Amino acid sequence: MESDGISLARSVTEHVRLTGKHFLPDRVLAQLVDIRHRHAADRPFLHAFLDCMLDKREGRFWNRTYLALPVLELLTDERQPALSADRMSVLLMSDVVRFEIEAAGAARAGSGRGRPDPARLGTRLRHALRFVAKGLGRAEAGGLPSRMAHTPQSRLEDFVEHLPRPPATDGFRWFDVTVQPVYTLHDEYFFIRVLQAHEMLFTAIAADMKGAIRELRAGNLDGGVGRIDHAVAMFERAAALFRIVATMQPEHFSEFRQYTEGASAIQSEQYKRFEGLCGVPTVPRLCSSAFTSVPAVKAEVEDDRHDTVSGAYLDLRAEGRFGPGEWSSLDAALSRLENGHQRWKSAHRSIAVRMLGDAHGSGYTTGVPYLTECLDNRLFWQLDTGR
């Protein structure tokens, strides 16, 4: 075995994309368990990869392992300061564009079952490219198309060269093995990448909330407003991801989701971390499956030392800091974030209605009724009497 195990990971991933992780033979799984035991202890990427690959066998399949987040997070930790979570979301969506174009041109191996027709593919690429361009900015996105209508296949393949690629580092060789579909349907690849991009944006939003708390505690109201508004922009980008999901046919989603039972967005730690940094949730919310499904985050929120934007706001109010104009600026920023969050939840519910219908959620929730109830939740409910 080579020093870090990447060749093994590539071989296993290629096999999984042809058969589905749910259907890996017992003999292969047993071999992977043995490899992890004998070779992965001092190889963090290999260990994280195998933990995700073996989740179903070991009865711990959930959102983090389905999305291979332990591997992706190794690429966005403090040792990669140049790569933000937001930038990672751009790379993930760039990979979706690359995957779809190469699959349409038969340049990428894998299951061809359920590939989108040309019209659906064009819509998917248009939304994905718009997400990428928004994340890159005008200067870096100059080589990407502004429109996709009536673009010939040969021209589509030219776009691939203009897409940003992961950094050329040893660690980022693992980027390509972070899609581990449970089934053999084409659309599961882009679905996993969209969910991963959501997690990266939530990571960035949670960091914004921590930054806003620091700025407010330091008495820097403008700095706090700036971090809150950056989070608003991230939520707008997160809502845009649902347009990409909407290009999937509901029957295709139903076909592979039967093998994702136990993994659900309700288990998103970064989303709940963001929510808990805005303000301590109400007791019913904190005791519901929304937080009991993420016990590590629930413990963080319940810790006496846990700080929130709402807490910093109320303390500053009590201290009589700032004038009316400054408070108006902060109140407006909090309202923008609250409204942006509500729009994101509404978009989430709408796509669930389209894809799920009356089916239950894969995280043992009621599905659409659960998301409907969540529309009543407010991030800054504690400030209703404090503003």
Side-chain angles (χ1 to χ4, degrees), residues 160-325:
V160 172
E161 300 304 315
H162 296 285
L163 292 167
R165 291 184 177 274
T169 64
D170 286 343
F172 266 91
R173 293 180 300 162
W174 292 82
F175 179 84
D176 290 337
V177 300
T178 53
V179 177
Q180 302 169 3
V182 296
Y183 194 47
T184 58
L185 209 62
H186 173 87
D187 278 358
E188 192 181 359
Y189 187 103
F190 99 86
F191 179 72
I192 289 174
R193 284 299 197 215
V194 166
L195 295 184
Q196 290 170 336
H198 252 119
E199 290 301 308
M200 293 300 110
L201 291 177
F202 291 148
T203 300
I205 293 169
D208 280 329
M209 293 303 98
K210 290 180 180 179
I213 293 168
R214 286 193 301 269
E215 297 289 358
L216 293 176
R217 290 296 184 190
N220 182 3
L221 188 143
D222 287 343
V225 168
R227 295 304 296 263
I228 292 167
D229 277 339
H230 186 267
V232 173
M234 291 297 98
F235 255 113
E236 290 174 355
R237 297 189 62 217
L241 289 171
F242 291 125
R243 300 189 189 103
I244 307 175
V245 177
T247 65
M248 180 165 47
Q249 297 183 63
E251 56 269 28
H252 289 176
F253 180 58
S254 297
E255 190 171 351
F256 71 76
R257 81 178 293 270
Q258 64 184 304
Y259 303 109
T260 64
E261 192 71 27
S264 168
I266 198 175
Q267 300 159 347
S268 171
E269 292 182 318
Q270 293 297 349
Y271 173 72
K272 300 307 188 320
R273 187 164 283 120
F274 150 73
E275 185 179 343
L277 287 165
C278 289
V280 176
T282 63
V283 172
R285 173 74 173 167
L286 198 55
C287 294
S288 73
S289 57
F291 276 86
T292 58
S293 63
V294 286
V297 180
K298 186 174 187 289
E300 290 175 16
V301 174
E302 293 178 325
D303 192 307
D304 291 339
R305 296 165 295 179
H306 179 70
D307 203 359
T308 68
V309 172
S310 294
Y313 180 103
L314 292 172
D315 287 347
L316 289 170
R317 277 286 192 187
E319 295 169 9
R321 301 283 290 272
F322 311 123

Side-chain angles (χ1 to χ4, degrees), residues 332-344:
L334 294 177
S335 293
R336 287 191 291 273
L337 181 56
E338 190 80 78
N339 292 336
H341 181 233
Q342 286 299 113
R343 287 193 297 272
W344 177 85

Side-chain angles (χ1 to χ4, degrees), residues 345 349 352-353 366-377:
K345 289 192 295 182
R349 181 189 177 281
V353 169
T366 56
V368 173
Y370 168 78
L371 295 176
T372 302
E373 292 175 9
C374 289
L375 293 177
D376 293 332
N377 296 332

